[in-house]
């Protein structure tokens, strides 16, 4: 049976809509407009939590959900460097939206890296045509969802946690334990047997819809299973985990850049100098200047490392099946280095920004605390300590990281 048999979702054709990217060179302008609009409500929405339905629909109408889809399938034909640039830009003002947008493209990468062209080409074409949003219910660490054979397919039952973007999606990448093996599949979110729980209420990333999904005898057709090649079978398919890690890097960098700009603006325009500083402006306080110097060094280093890793990812994807394990391992080192640098410098900046903005900047309506809350929440995705251990093994012993879902 065709893997498209249940794909009944139809959306208006937005090809002629104003302010929609229909070509790659229009992406910066459309991304700028969305970023400015998201910024106006970001602090309030962060406090409220819940699903950013209006913003998700703006992304649908913008054409940017097709950024990573090849032109021949109706997409914009952008590289992963183009995608990550937009992710980082969104994260400066709204890291939840950046997260949802990035994970949408991660799911598209998942089906292309784990699946076969006859599977993913129709899915990507439908995504570009109908502005489908893809959600995530893969989470390999949560092994409670189990599948069993059924005639011509499988049945999946059990819970799955940390399902970012599952709510209000058209397609869902799911996983379950099947006869001792991890099975990954792509299914329509509207299919019977998928129950999305709106139970995400964490201190950060509050609009990522990262709650849980309950599967109740979800039918998965054989043609929907992404098993050739398997998730960790070739250097090329192993790039999926590195795409995921580099997404985190760029969200971290974007959050830190947003925090830096917010602190800079407030310090220059609102903050009052301490009486003992002997200056008329907070921006002339030597201690404040030293803090901003530290911020600049840490942030600039993280940006450069993230950009190096981004260029490496594009090159690795272009290598395709010719990619070697050594080349894949070197890229993993670059991404891990960028991730550690972005996490450490970003958390330091988001914490210390209050030392340059002063007591009045803690007013709840400003929402400056959201930068730290969002980054602290996101940097717990997988332990930074394990990344530094991997880097230590490389630096001291010359051992490249073993491929896995987080490395």
């Amino acid at each position: 049976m065709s893997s498209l048999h249940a794909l009944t979702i139809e959306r208006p054709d937005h090809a002629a809509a104003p302010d929609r990217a229909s070509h790659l060179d229009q992406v910066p302008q459309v991304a700028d407009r969305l970023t400015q609009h998201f910024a106006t409500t970001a602090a309030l929405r962060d406090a409220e939590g819940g699903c950013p339905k209006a913003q998700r629909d703006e992304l649908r109408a913008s054409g940017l959900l097709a950024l990573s889809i090849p032109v021949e399938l109706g997409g914009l034909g952008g590289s992963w460097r183009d995608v990550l640039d937009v992710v980082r830009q969104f994260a400066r003002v709204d890291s939840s939206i950046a997260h949802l947008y990035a994970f949408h493209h991660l799911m598209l990468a998942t089906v292309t890296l784990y699946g076969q062209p006859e599977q993913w080409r129709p899915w990507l074409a439908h995504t570009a045509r109908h502005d489908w949003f893809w959600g995530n219910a893969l989470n390999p660490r949560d092994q409670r969802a189990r599948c069993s054979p059924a005639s011509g397919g499988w049945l999946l039952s059990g819970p799955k946690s940390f399902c970012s973007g599952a709510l209000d999606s058209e397609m869902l990448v799911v996983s379950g334990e099947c006869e001792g093996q991890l099975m990954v599949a792509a299914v329509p979110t509207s299919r019977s047997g998928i129950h999305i729980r709106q139970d995400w209420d964490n201190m950060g990333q509050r609009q990522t819809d990262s709650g849980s999904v309950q599967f109740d005898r979800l039918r998965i057709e054989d043609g929907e299973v992404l098993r050739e090649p398997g998730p960790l079978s070739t250097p090329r398919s192993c790039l999926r985990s590195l795409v995921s890690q580099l997404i985190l890097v760029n969200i971290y960098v974007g959050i830190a850049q947003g925090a830096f700009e917010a602190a800079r603006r407030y310090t220059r325009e609102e903050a009052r100098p301490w009486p003992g500083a002997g200056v008329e402006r907070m921006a002339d306080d030597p201690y404040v200047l030293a803090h901003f110097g530290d911020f600049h060094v840490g942030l600039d280093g993280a940006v450069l490392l993230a950009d190096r890793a981004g260029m490496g990812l594009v090159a690795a994807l272009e290598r395709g099946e010719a990619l070697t394990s050594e080349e894949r391992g070197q890229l993993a080192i670059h991404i891990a280095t960028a991730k550690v640098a972005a996490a450490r410098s970003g958390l330091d900046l988001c914490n210390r920004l209050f030392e340059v903005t002063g007591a009045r900047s803690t007013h709840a309506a400003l929402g400056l605390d959201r930068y730290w809350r969002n980054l602290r929440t996101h940097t717990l995705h997988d332990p930074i300590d394990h990344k530094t251990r991997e880097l230590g093994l490389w630096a001291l012993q010359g051992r490249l990281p073993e491929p896995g879902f987080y490395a």
Side-chain angles (χ1 to χ4, degrees), residues 127-404:
T127 298
R129 172 68 175 173
H130 301 295
D131 298 312
W132 284 351
F133 225 122
W134 286 63
N136 169 51
L138 198 160
N139 189 2
R141 291 191 63 205
D142 188 343
Q143 301 177 2
R144 294 173 295 169
R146 304 279 174 166
C147 57
S148 57
S151 177
W154 308 85
L155 294 176
L156 179 64
S157 295
K160 185 70 72 169
S161 58
F162 290 105
C163 300
S164 296
L167 187 65
D168 188 44
S169 66
E170 280 75 41
M171 289 291 290
L172 199 59
V173 175
V174 305
S175 73
E177 292 297 310
C178 188
E179 299 178 340
Q181 300 293 323
L182 178 69
M183 184 183 77
V184 181
V187 300
T189 311
S190 59
R191 182 172 294 173
S192 175
I194 299 176
H195 308 283
I196 300 174
R197 297 168 171 169
Q198 298 186 49
D199 53 2
W200 179 252
D201 190 24
N202 288 38
M203 72 174 186
Q205 295 300 95
R206 290 177 50 75
Q207 285 205 312
T208 59
D209 299 324
S210 294
S212 61
V213 172
Q214 176 69 35
F215 301 114
D216 182 14
R217 295 178 61 83
L218 169 66
R219 172 77 183 189
I220 299 175
E221 304 297 337
D222 251 348
E224 296 169 332
V225 177
L226 309 175
R227 56 187 175 194
E228 296 179 8
L232 302 176
S233 62
T234 69
R236 176 184 173 275
S237 65
C238 291
L239 289 176
R240 191 270 181 193
S241 58
L242 297 187
V243 173
S244 173
Q245 290 290 303
L246 193 51
I247 281 172
L248 302 184
V249 171
N250 281 272
I251 292 175
Y252 299 173
V253 168
I255 293 173
Q257 288 177 323
F260 180 90
E261 286 303 319
R264 183 176 182 272
R265 183 169 54 251
Y266 192 91
T267 301
R268 289 166 60 97
E269 299 175 5
E270 302 290 340
R272 300 171 182 172
W274 188 250
V279 296
E280 294 185 0
R281 303 185 310 158
M282 189 75 150
D284 293 323
D285 187 311
Y287 296 107
V288 170
L289 292 170
H291 282 302
F292 271 97
D294 285 344
F295 296 163
H296 167 75
V297 171
L299 188 53
D300 215 34
V303 168
L304 291 171
L305 290 169
D307 287 347
R308 179 183 70 170
M311 290 186 290
L313 175 63
V314 171
L317 289 168
E318 290 175 347
R319 292 272 290 153
E321 295 298 344
L323 184 72
T324 67
S325 297
E326 175 76 16
E327 290 169 336
R328 193 264 180 205
Q330 291 288 348
L331 176 60
I333 290 295
H334 288 331
I335 292 175
T337 303
K339 186 177 182 185
V340 172
R344 287 180 173 172
S345 62
L347 287 171
D348 178 62
L349 192 163
C350 293
N351 177 40
R352 289 169 57 196
L353 71 84
F354 294 100
E355 296 180 35
V356 299
T357 54
R360 291 191 307 137
S361 69
T362 61
H363 193 283
L366 293 174
L368 295 184
D369 60 309
R370 73 184 188 275
Y371 296 106
W372 182 88
R373 287 188 291 101
N374 290 331
L375 187 55
R376 179 67 281 183
T377 298
H378 223 314
T379 50
L380 298 175
H381 178 275
D382 53 292
I384 292 296
D385 286 343
H386 284 264
K387 281 286 176 287
T388 56
R389 176 182 175 275
E390 289 176 0
L391 293 171
L393 286 170
W394 166 248
L396 189 59
Q397 301 178 18
R399 289 172 55 184
L400 291 170
E402 291 290 329

